[in-house]
Amino acid sequence: MPSPKKNDKHSRASGRPTLNEVAQRAGVSPITASRALRGVSSVAEALVLKVREAAAELGYVANPAARALASAQSHSVVVLVPSLSNQLFVDTLEAIHGVLRPQGLEVLIGNFHYSRDEEEDLIRNYLAYQPRGLLLTGFERTESARRMVEASGVPCVYMMDLDHSPGLHCVGFSQIAAGMAAAEHLLAGGRKRLAYVGAQLDQRTLLRGEGFRRALQKAGRYDPALELLTPRPSSVGLGGELFRQLLAAQPDVEGIFFGNDDLAQGALLEALRQGIAVPEQIAVVGFNDLPSSAYMVPRLSSIRTPREAIGRRAAETLLALIAGRPIAEPVQDLGFELMVRESS
Amino acid sequence: MPSPKKNDKHSRASGRPTLNEVAQRAGVSPITASRALRGVSSVAEALVLKVREAAAELGYVANPAARALASAQSHSVVVLVPSLSNQLFVDTLEAIHGVLRPQGLEVLIGNFHYSRDEEEDLIRNYLAYQPRGLLLTGFERTESARRMVEASGVPCVYMMDLDHSPGLHCVGFSQIAAGMAAAEHLLAGGRKRLAYVGAQLDQRTLLRGEGFRRALQKAGRYDPALELLTPRPSSVGLGGELFRQLLAAQPDVEGIFFGNDDLAQGALLEALRQGIAVPEQIAVVGFNDLPSSAYMVPRLSSIRTPREAIGRRAAETLLALIAGRPIAEPVQDLGFELMVRESS
DNA sequence: TTGTAAGCGTTATCAT
DNA sequence: ATGATAACGCTTACAA
């Protein structure tokens, strides 16, 4: 006597419907149902319709685990960002979603909190999911992480910064050029004593400082005493604090470039509180052009970064890589735009 | 002659190491290796060590797809939030991660952009992954989504708002009470003509308005003309715009409660620009107490929501549900705190 | 164009 | 305490 619980593989009482059940209902073999549902080569039009109908009636949703196991390929793409508190990455993520989800790809978000070790862990764990692709932020990572990515053979696109190493695909802009642009703008306004204030100290923040310094050196205006860097996480509160600190040490500073808009916003608010005239006494330029920056008092000048475009293009490039299509430009420089408003 | 490519299942030339290889290297059967690695019942101490060592040497990482397929259980928990642009949800997410990742659970983030349909899609797709648990935001969803969650049998905890329906677990605070608290504070300051300004119009924003209204009605101060609502997404820029609009229509308004801090910040900046004295002419109270609110000019009074605690407790409750442990309080009211600063 | 057979890497079940 | 065997639900060969 057969056990009442026995599933004989082609008919079951409950639980999620399987491909077998869909196939049975449509009167075809499971493999045909599979092909029909995936829109793969050569299935008669009529059968496709029947299978789709059966699937819809049953509310069939493929089991991703079985799919991944059988094909050694998941339908997911892993995106690793250093933070979600920075609107920059949220916007980039949105753009990535917009490109990838319509292709039936799941986007797995990993936040590594600006920690190389955490990023390495995430890479190790997520690679186990056999993702179709990888979208990574910047080029600063452990050797071990680098090797895992390389060894996995999973297509990968790097976002935000640029690197011309062969075989590497990236979408971003030159962080150094951005720093230089800020300096040149401030210099063009006739300011002489110019400071760079940065927090977080990830590689990109450092690179912007580097660009800023180079431009000042070229103009013969570089003074290391006007560089204020801290590893603490960037925030509005910290911006005000660093502004006070810088002014206490260097009362004659004439212009400040902040590595992030939240720092610059904090400085603007602190200046307001102290009655320091911006831009008359001190010019302020931020970086990223957060949505709120244009509404500050005075309206914050900032370097607008193409974060949505970076996300979109990175995702599109990844799609091409996955499909084996040739990539015209492995290094895509999307540039940036200096938004001159009231603060400089 | 055997094909050179043949993997005889217990030794392979390349690719990711499998459990079989680990087992072979440790001199045990695959199932023992599996048990040892999972720390499951009754494996001799010595064997556990040997297996662990073999796994470490090979750099073995279990295949989540195979795992999920064999056990009909993934190691992931799905969290659905309406937005990532609101720091509120980012902070909640962080706290959830902090609790769940140490337990070996992967956190899958779904952003449904305040769209019921998108949430329903996400639920349908993510349920296919056989998640161990579900963390949902609020109670506003399609009937279909509700049914899928119910039918799936996957443990679920609702965040942010409270609901006393039987069998339902939630962690949050009373949105209505928060609205009432804002009104009472403003009334206590002697203000009479009080307005509520909200955007996005998700259920919680509406509920806060409802609470605000009730408190005003009780005090005999309710005037529907002082309610300004828009479905547009909340932002600093929009806050300034709504502030101007409200003032144009109701020049005698004495206090405003904004449904979100970014709106309130925009109003504060606009007031600064127009030379309107806050709080002397108009008092302003925000909601959520974003980190930057304390640095506005004047410093913004706001209702501080326990977002990290909500994430933590929701995750802990989910863990208990998954483990089958009894839940002492199915409805956990974590309250809120009115931070009175300079703007009111 | 369709189907058959086998296997993906792991765990549940049932023995020993 | 350990192991043999059979799934889990799907897709990749390869045939027909």
Side-chain angles (χ1 to χ4, degrees):
Chain A
M1 182 185 119
S3 152
K5 272 195 175 168
K6 177 163 184 178
N7 295 345
D8 70 72
K9 196 168 196 174
H10 289 281
S11 67
R12 47 163 56 191
S14 69
R16 274 176 49 197
T18 68
L19 187 60
N20 267 314
E21 299 172 70
V22 174
Q24 209 181 224
R25 190 179 189 102
V28 299
S29 75
I31 185 62
T32 298
S34 169
R35 292 200 264 244
L37 258 14
R38 279 179 298 154
V40 169
S41 63
S42 62
V43 177
E45 191 67 33
L47 285 191
V48 174
L49 259 38
K50 265 209 282 192
V51 171
R52 281 218 193 109
E53 197 187 320
E57 284 168 9
L58 261 35
Y60 172 77
V61 180
N63 181 329
R67 224 197 236 293
L69 186 56
S71 65
Q73 285 265 297
S74 73
H75 281 199
S76 52
V77 163
V78 171
V79 187
L80 262 30
V81 297
S83 161
L84 286 177
S85 303
N86 191 333
Q87 186 65 26
L88 163 66
F89 298 110
V90 173
D91 291 342
T92 305
L93 240 22
E94 280 304 287
I96 292 170
H97 259 92
V99 174
L100 262 25
R101 289 228 29 196
Q103 303 293 317
L105 291 170
E106 214 65 55
V107 179
L108 298 184
I109 302 170
N111 176 352
F112 58 88
H113 304 98
Y114 288 103
S115 153
R116 288 194 200 65
D117 289 342
E118 230 180 296
E119 193 202 21
E120 182 182 322
D121 277 357
L122 286 173
I123 290 179
R124 195 190 332 280
N125 281 316
Y126 277 132
L127 243 23
Y129 284 84
Q130 305 180 131
R132 286 292 255 271
L134 236 38
L135 254 15
L136 302 182
T137 303
F139 302 106
E140 183 193 17
R141 52 184 49 82
T142 66
E143 196 38 45
S144 180
R146 216 184 302 278
R147 272 198 303 269
M148 283 191 288
V149 172
E150 167 95 43
S152 74
V154 176
C156 178
V157 176
Y158 299 85
M159 304 183 292
M160 298 304 157
D161 204 358
L162 304 176
D163 183 318
H164 289 266
S165 306
L168 196 150
H169 303 267
C170 54
V171 180
F173 59 92
S174 165
Q175 303 282 338
I176 290 193
M180 294 179 68
E184 283 156 10
H185 164 65
L186 255 8
L187 287 168
R191 318 276 173 165
K192 296 182 185 75
R193 292 197 50 75
L194 300 178
Y196 178 60
V197 177
Q200 199 66 77
L201 303 194
D202 58 293
Q203 199 185 33
R204 291 173 301 288
T205 298
L206 260 16
L207 250 18
R208 291 193 288 271
E210 166 77 19
F212 192 75
R213 182 184 325 128
R214 278 196 211 166
L216 293 191
Q217 281 170 335
K218 207 172 120 194
R221 297 283 182 211
Y222 177 62
D223 178 354
L226 289 172
E227 227 163 58
L228 185 49
L229 300 175
T230 167
R232 294 165 62 193
S234 189
S235 73
V236 169
L238 181 61
E241 191 181 327
L242 294 175
F243 181 74
R244 278 196 305 277
Q245 197 178 317
L246 179 70
L247 247 71
Q250 305 288 334
D252 59 347
V253 62
E254 297 169 74
I256 312 177
F257 173 42
F258 286 91
N260 268 308
D261 262 18
D262 47 6
L263 293 177
Q265 292 183 1
L268 252 29
L269 291 168
E270 183 62 24
L272 219 43
R273 205 163 258 122
Q274 295 194 15
I276 294 174
V278 175
E280 293 75 10
Q281 182 181 340
I282 303 180
V284 173
V285 174
F287 182 82
N288 259 342
D289 197 25
L290 295 184
S292 50
S293 292
Y295 300 97
M296 294 303 293
V297 176
R299 299 181 192 279
L300 178 63
S301 294
S302 187
I303 292 184
R304 170 123 186 67
T305 53
R307 40 196 189 267
E308 297 86 359
I310 290 177
R312 202 178 326 116
R313 292 284 282 276
E316 287 165 355
T317 304
L318 187 61
L319 245 23
L321 242 28
I322 290 172
R325 274 181 267 132
I327 307 296
E329 299 173 82
V331 177
Q332 301 180 57
D333 184 348
L334 267 31
F336 51 82
E337 189 185 355
L338 177 57
M339 307 297 292
V340 179
R341 291 196 272 249
E342 302 169 350
S343 72
S344 70
Chain B
M1 183 186 120
S3 152
K5 271 198 177 167
K6 177 165 185 177
N7 294 345
D8 69 73
K9 194 171 197 174
H10 290 282
S11 67
R12 48 164 55 189
S14 70
R16 272 176 49 196
T18 69
L19 187 60
N20 267 314
E21 299 173 71
V22 173
Q24 210 181 223
R25 191 178 189 103
V28 299
S29 76
I31 185 63
T32 299
S34 169
R35 291 200 265 244
L37 258 15
R38 278 180 297 155
V40 170
S41 64
S42 63
V43 177
E45 191 68 31
L47 285 192
V48 173
L49 258 38
K50 267 209 281 193
V51 171
R52 280 216 195 110
E53 198 187 320
E57 285 169 8
L58 261 36
Y60 172 76
V61 180
N63 181 330
R67 225 200 239 290
L69 185 56
S71 66
Q73 283 267 297
S74 73
H75 281 201
S76 51
V77 163
V78 171
V79 187
L80 264 29
V81 296
S83 160
L84 286 178
S85 303
N86 190 334
Q87 186 66 25
L88 163 68
F89 298 108
V90 173
D91 292 340
T92 305
L93 240 22
E94 281 304 287
I96 292 169
H97 259 92
V99 173
L100 263 23
R101 289 230 27 199
Q103 303 293 316
L105 291 169
E106 214 65 53
V107 179
L108 298 183
I109 302 169
N111 177 352
F112 58 87
H113 304 98
Y114 288 102
S115 152
R116 288 194 199 64
D117 288 342
E118 231 180 294
E119 194 203 20
E120 181 182 323
D121 276 356
L122 286 173
I123 289 179
R124 195 189 330 282
N125 281 315
Y126 277 133
L127 242 24
Y129 284 85
Q130 305 180 131
R132 286 291 255 274
L134 236 38
L135 254 16
L136 302 182
T137 303
F139 302 106
E140 184 193 15
R141 51 184 49 80
T142 66
E143 194 40 43
S144 180
R146 216 183 302 276
R147 271 199 303 269
M148 283 191 286
V149 172
E150 167 96 41
S152 73
V154 176
C156 178
V157 176
Y158 299 86
M159 305 182 291
M160 298 304 156
D161 204 357
L162 304 177
D163 183 317
H164 289 267
S165 305
L168 196 149
H169 302 268
C170 53
V171 180
F173 58 91
S174 165
Q175 303 282 339
I176 289 192
M180 293 178 69
E184 283 155 11
H185 164 66
L186 255 8
L187 286 168
R191 317 277 174 164
K192 295 181 187 77
R193 292 198 48 75
L194 301 178
Y196 178 61
V197 177
Q200 199 65 78
L201 303 194
D202 57 293
Q203 200 184 31
R204 291 173 300 289
T205 297
L206 261 15
L207 251 17
R208 291 193 287 274
E210 166 76 18
F212 192 77
R213 182 184 326 128
R214 279 197 211 166
L216 293 190
Q217 281 169 334
K218 208 173 118 193
R221 297 284 182 209
Y222 177 62
D223 177 354
L226 290 172
E227 228 164 59
L228 186 49
L229 300 175
T230 167
R232 293 165 63 192
S234 189
S235 73
V236 170
L238 180 61
E241 190 180 328
L242 293 176
F243 181 75
R244 276 196 306 276
Q245 198 179 316
L246 179 70
L247 247 71
Q250 307 287 334
D252 59 347
V253 62
E254 296 169 74
I256 312 177
F257 174 42
F258 286 91
N260 269 307
D261 262 18
D262 49 5
L263 294 177
Q265 291 183 1
L268 252 29
L269 292 167
E270 182 63 24
L272 219 43
R273 202 163 260 121
Q274 295 193 15
I276 295 173
V278 175
E280 294 76 10
Q281 181 180 341
I282 303 180
V284 173
V285 174
F287 183 81
N288 260 341
D289 196 25
L290 295 184
S292 50
S293 292
Y295 300 96
M296 296 303 292
V297 176
R299 299 180 193 279
L300 178 63
S301 294
S302 186
I303 291 182
R304 170 122 187 68
T305 53
R307 39 196 190 268
E308 297 86 359
I310 290 177
R312 203 178 326 117
R313 293 284 282 276
E316 287 165 354
T317 304
L318 186 61
L319 245 22
L321 243 27
I322 291 173
R325 273 182 268 134
I327 307 295
E329 300 173 81
V331 177
Q332 301 180 55
D333 185 348
L334 268 30
F336 52 81
E337 188 183 357
L338 177 56
M339 307 296 293
V340 178
R341 291 196 271 250
E342 302 169 349
S343 72
S344 70

